[in-house]
Structure formats: structure tokens, C-alpha cells
Amino acid sequence: MIISAALAAVLVPLAAASAVSAPTAAQAYVDKRVRNCAGKASDCRPGAVAHYWYKRGSSARGVGWVYASREGARTGTARWLFKKPGDTWKTGGAWKRAGRVGGTFAETSWGRDGHTGPVYPRGTRICVQFRGLPTKACVSLK
């Protein structure tokens, strides 16, 4: 009985400490979404959304996923590009088929949720481009 009481006295504070440290570890990251639309008014041809994350105080930005959409089309092929500050444009994702979501709206995406994906410096520009469409929608990682 004395051993189990002593064991409980040790385990309860350890369990409480681990429960407290988990949220503080999650708070070390800042998650953001940036979006932009290249069209005017409600005509978004194309649109871009990027989810990125970073640790507080860091200038590195991790890109979890990139989303491309286009109104006025049922299908299409899209890719995403990135440009680090002072560098040239590079392809971030290969050409990918965008599927119809309803009516005349097509979308596709690359990546996944979480703190995964490529890491770029603050100020990097990300653009989505649809094949055959001259305009690109771009966002910046702040």
C-alpha cells in the first residue's frame, strides 16, 4: 500500500507535466494561409491559396500545401512556381489535372496538412499557373 501511494505521488506530477508541455510545443509554430485571386470582382481566374508554417522568430517558412482554382472552366492543368528573394522562378509542383468541382469551377492541390513540405525564406513568392491561361495568381510568405 505504501509503495503504490509513493508510486502514485511520482506518476501524477509526471502526467500533469507532460499534459502541460504538449500545448506549449504546439504553440511554438505559427500556421497561416495566404490567398489571392488574379481575376477582377467575382471572376477568379486563377486563384491561389498556400498554407505555410514557421517557428516564432524564424525567417524560414515551411509550405504544407498549395491550392489552385479556376472559375469559368470545367477542367484544366495547373502547376505552382516559387521564387525566393533574389532568385529566379522554379517549379514547385508538376503539371496536375484540375477537376470539376461543380458548374464551371476546377481545382487541384499539392501537399498535405501538418508541418511538412519544403522550406523557403520569408518573402518567397508562390504562384499558380493554368496551362493556356496567361495570368498567374501569386501569394507571398510573410
Side-chain angles (χ1 to χ4, degrees):
M1 180 79 170
I2 295 174
I3 294 173
S4 62
L7 185 60
V10 171
L11 292 179
V12 169
L14 287 176
S18 65
V20 171
S21 64
T24 56
Q27 292 172 353
Y29 289 103
V30 177
D31 288 271
K32 296 209 176 213
R33 286 185 187 178
V34 287
R35 63 193 73 201
N36 192 17
C37 191
K40 295 179 181 175
S42 64
D43 192 20
C44 199
R45 297 179 187 214
V49 181
H51 168 260
Y52 69 98
W53 53 270
Y54 59 93
K55 288 186 178 181
R56 294 189 189 281
S58 173
S59 63
R61 304 295 188 247
V63 177
W65 51 260
V66 176
Y67 168 84
S69 64
R70 179 180 177 186
E71 290 184 22
R74 293 183 181 185
T75 63
T77 306
R79 68 177 176 176
W80 67 279
L81 310 159
F82 69 93
K83 182 181 178 192
K84 296 178 184 178
D87 204 355
T88 59
W89 286 101
K90 294 181 176 61
T91 303
W95 289 104
K96 190 174 182 182
R97 189 97 170 127
R100 183 169 72 173
V101 178
T104 58
F105 183 77
E107 70 176 6
T108 190
S109 63
W110 300 262
R112 63 177 193 242
D113 275 333
H115 299 151
T116 61
V119 177
Y120 303 113
R122 182 185 332 192
T124 297
R125 301 268 302 154
I126 293 178
C127 294
V128 297
Q129 174 185 32
F130 277 83
R131 189 174 275 161
L133 193 64
T135 57
K136 293 184 263 187
C138 300
V139 295
S140 290
L141 306 181
K142 298 178 180 172

